[in-house]
Amino acid sequence: MASSKTDGSDSEWWRGAVIYQIYPRSFMDSNGDGIGDLPGITSRLEHVAGLGVDAVWVSPFFRSPMKDFGYDVSDYRAVDPLFGTLADFDAMLARMHALGLKLIIDQVLSHTSDQHAWFSESRSSRDNPKADWYVWADPKPDGTPPTNWLSVFGGPAWQWDSRRRQYYLHSFLAEQPDLNFHCAEVQQALLGEVRFWCERGVDGFRFDACNHQFHDALLRDNPPASLASIGEVSTVRADNPYAMQQHLYDKSQHENLAFLEGLRRLLDEYGAVALGEVGDENAPPVMAQYTELGKRLHLAYSFSLLTADHSPAHLRHQVEALDSALAPTGGWGCWAVSNHDVPRVATRWSGGGAPDTRRDRLWLALLLSLRGSASIYQGEELGLTEAEVPFELLQDPYGRAFWPEFKGRDGCRTPMPWTGEAPNGGFTTGTPWLPVYGPHLPLAIERQAADADSMLAFSRTLLSWRRTQPLLRTAGIRFFDTQEPRLLHFERYGDGASPLQAIFNFSGEPVSMPLPDGLTPLVGQPLAATSVIHTSDGKRMLQLAPYGVFFGASAGEG
């Protein structure tokens, strides 16, 4: 039976919300098979609710051959037996709502598994009822693929099928054929799959690779990329040939806007929210179109802060670029510094250094201070580092294809450590699908919960404090130039309140700067001990400790 939703009086709860991402395979295993599942998630929801987040995004749990671990769906309406049953889903949803949490589920509409019944019928002939449901094309006269398009996972994006004697398009794995969104029946069928979960009471959807939903109907080749044309944020590594093209024709097509408008009309019937993943080399304009106020998606996020570059200049540029793009459309963004596809931020932004809780606190404080919503990936609240997974235990096909230069995505997907003493960190009583990383055990939730100075305690405190600062949820953002390149300085302003200023020291050394006139530390800020105000040559100076953070307001405010 579907669960009733939480109080929907705040129809814009998503604006400025904090969303906690759960990767089901690695969160909690309830039955000892070594794979996390829905009952496991339900059993650990008190931890999530205790953080103070607003919603939970659960990565795919649908029936799947698991070639891409659930992002290859073979039945949109069935829970894969690895994860449980529909009854388990309903119980999880009911528990979330009882704890005051919203549920966002992952929907993969751009492609299916090659084991989906739709594809089995489509590939059977050129004249069956679903013959045009996928992107089929004849070869060139010399037998080569119809275009030069490439797969994100390496190699051509076309796979030969001997039955139809045609190629089919796959933007990702060959086992993930792309649906043909130019076919009206496909669009209607997918809206039906979304409606199924709306009827069960979900609060929203995270639409995977949503800018891949249309391809160029004329099948034009992509031009080669250049530094000037491809932009500064690539969705893949530079050693992947996918980065060598401007992806003008294989994704981010204009026709997608009309589909998203139809999707929004459906979601509005149920008060459900749409969060879109936009993997594009020039994401801000696409995100602005996709989130145009009231028309399409509610909010979208990109890979802009999931890169290796974490300099203040880079971060400022990315935030300002998105803010400028969204301003004319009234759109809304969502930021993340870690997820299931990239190395964990505690390692990726360490500069090769050892783990440092001070640095972890800075990243989380920054994420929760930017304009937009925020997504926290499971384990980020613990300061988990990227795990080392030996090749013989690697599961990710992406990593196996590019090893050893790229070790894949398994390092951010290893199981959550719940207790430091129990076998496998309390994740499972069996053999985990990926090994529990030894250095994660001292960071286990049970241990950190007993330590008032732990990263977990800080995460809870920071999230609780953020709820008392309305400017951090919905206000505007404006950056200030600094003489010190290691500092990032901006303010959140609007709603008739005194602006809130934030200053971050990205250095492992103390850094000082003149304190703006009238600015005083904000009362109750969780990182007050990382900054000191003193006088030098008659000027008030702010000294930030290594990786220090300062939140301030004008005198007499806050």
Side-chain angles (χ1 to χ4, degrees), residues 110-342:
S110 69
H111 56 268
T112 70
S113 163
D114 62 353
Q115 301 302 306
H116 197 292
W118 296 348
F119 187 69
S120 296
E121 184 174 352
S122 185
R123 77 188 312 182
S124 66
S125 69
R126 296 194 185 193
D127 57 3
N128 68 79
K130 291 184 173 58
D132 295 329
W133 279 41
Y134 292 82
V135 184
W136 295 96
D138 292 328
K140 291 181 178 178
D142 61 358
T144 55
T147 71
N148 69 346
W149 301 347
L150 296 172
S151 163
V152 173
F153 289 162
W158 296 97
Q159 178 69 32
W160 177 253
D161 185 83
S162 57
R163 261 168 288 187
R164 286 188 51 142
R165 300 184 67 182
Q166 286 182 303
Y167 284 97
Y168 67 82
L169 181 66
H170 61 93
S171 296
F172 300 94
L173 294 176
E175 294 87 356
Q176 295 170 295
D178 284 15
L179 285 158
N180 178 18
F181 276 73
H182 292 285
C183 174
E185 291 177 319
V186 167
Q187 296 188 32
Q188 290 306 309
L190 289 172
L191 292 178
E193 305 305 308
V194 172
R195 185 181 293 276
F196 174 83
W197 293 102
C198 286
E199 292 284 352
R200 294 200 89 84
V202 302
D203 301 287
F205 300 84
R206 180 261 189 188
F207 291 105
D208 179 73
C210 67
N211 62 314
H212 284 264
Q213 290 170 173
F214 278 84
H215 66 287
D216 174 45
L218 299 179
L219 298 180
R220 287 172 283 188
D221 282 347
N222 283 328
S226 65
L227 289 178
S229 62
I230 200 168
E232 298 178 359
V233 179
S234 178
T235 57
V236 297
R237 293 169 55 86
D239 55 12
N240 185 338
Y242 187 86
M244 300 177 186
Q245 291 184 355
Q246 295 181 64
H247 294 277
L248 301 185
Y249 300 115
D250 53 346
K251 62 182 180 181
S252 302
Q253 300 301 292
H254 184 76
E255 295 94 329
N256 199 27
L257 299 180
F259 172 76
L260 293 178
E261 288 168 7
L263 177 63
R264 177 61 179 265
R265 288 192 293 271
L266 168 62
L267 297 178
D268 283 348
E269 293 180 31
Y270 297 89
V273 170
L275 166 63
E277 177 196 35
V278 177
D280 192 274
E281 289 71 24
N282 190 22
V286 179
M287 295 170 70
Q289 284 187 321
Y290 283 14
T291 63
E292 186 172 354
L293 189 61
K295 285 189 173 183
R296 304 179 187 101
L297 304 176
H298 296 77
L299 65 168
Y301 80 91
S302 73
F303 294 76
S304 298
L305 301 189
L306 299 176
T307 60
D309 190 348
H310 61 285
S311 65
H314 170 80
L315 297 176
R316 174 179 176 175
H317 175 70
Q318 296 305 323
V319 175
E320 287 185 324
L322 180 59
D323 202 49
S324 296
L326 294 177
T329 68
W332 195 255
C334 181
W335 297 106
V337 295
S338 284
N339 70 9
H340 64 292
D341 281 332
V342 298

Side-chain angles (χ1 to χ4, degrees), residues 271-527:
V273 170
L275 166 63
E277 177 196 35
V278 177
D280 192 274
E281 289 71 24
N282 190 22
V286 179
M287 295 170 70
Q289 284 187 321
Y290 283 14
T291 63
E292 186 172 354
L293 189 61
K295 285 189 173 183
R296 304 179 187 101
L297 304 176
H298 296 77
L299 65 168
Y301 80 91
S302 73
F303 294 76
S304 298
L305 301 189
L306 299 176
T307 60
D309 190 348
H310 61 285
S311 65
H314 170 80
L315 297 176
R316 174 179 176 175
H317 175 70
Q318 296 305 323
V319 175
E320 287 185 324
L322 180 59
D323 202 49
S324 296
L326 294 177
T329 68
W332 195 255
C334 181
W335 297 106
V337 295
S338 284
N339 70 9
H340 64 292
D341 281 332
V342 298
R344 287 187 175 275
V345 67
T347 297
R348 193 178 75 251
W349 285 0
S350 70
D356 192 324
T357 301
R358 299 172 303 173
R359 193 169 53 226
D360 298 335
R361 294 178 179 185
L362 180 143
W363 306 144
L364 187 59
L366 173 66
L367 174 67
L368 296 177
S369 302
L370 298 175
R371 183 172 192 266
S373 302
S375 176
I376 297 175
Y377 180 52
Q378 64 181 47
E380 200 171 342
E381 76 275 22
L382 307 176
L384 296 189
T385 56
E386 182 79 353
E388 291 291 335
V389 181
F391 180 78
E392 61 271 17
L393 297 179
L394 209 64
Q395 303 292 320
D396 183 15
Y398 194 8
R400 296 182 72 88
F402 283 90
W403 182 275
E405 284 75 16
F406 174 53
K407 298 180 180 180
R409 300 166 293 178
D410 289 343
C412 67
R413 298 176 175 183
T414 55
M416 282 280 282
W418 294 98
T419 63
E421 290 71 28
N424 300 312
F427 164 73
T428 181
T429 58
T431 302
W433 76 286
L434 280 174
V436 174
Y437 189 44
H440 286 176
L441 294 178
L443 302 175
I445 291 168
E446 185 180 62
R447 289 187 176 184
Q448 292 204 38
D451 180 1
D453 195 40
S454 67
M455 181 64 187
L456 175 58
F458 170 76
S459 300
R460 290 170 173 168
T461 300
L462 180 64
L463 281 159
S464 176
W465 174 77
R466 183 179 182 270
R467 286 180 175 272
T468 69
Q469 304 297 322
L471 289 175
L472 292 182
R473 287 186 68 95
T474 58
I477 191 168
R478 179 166 46 228
F479 286 83
F480 299 103
D481 294 333
T482 69
Q483 298 299 313
E484 173 52 69
R486 295 173 292 180
L487 296 180
L488 184 68
H489 182 192
F490 59 82
E491 71 176 7
R492 303 295 305 278
Y493 67 94
D495 300 329
S498 177
L500 183 158
Q501 294 195 24
I503 305 172
F504 299 83
N505 176 14
F506 281 63
S507 167
E509 301 174 353
V511 177
S512 294
M513 64 170 281
L515 194 68
D517 292 339
L519 196 64
T520 60
L522 202 61
V523 175
Q525 59 173 297
L527 287 160

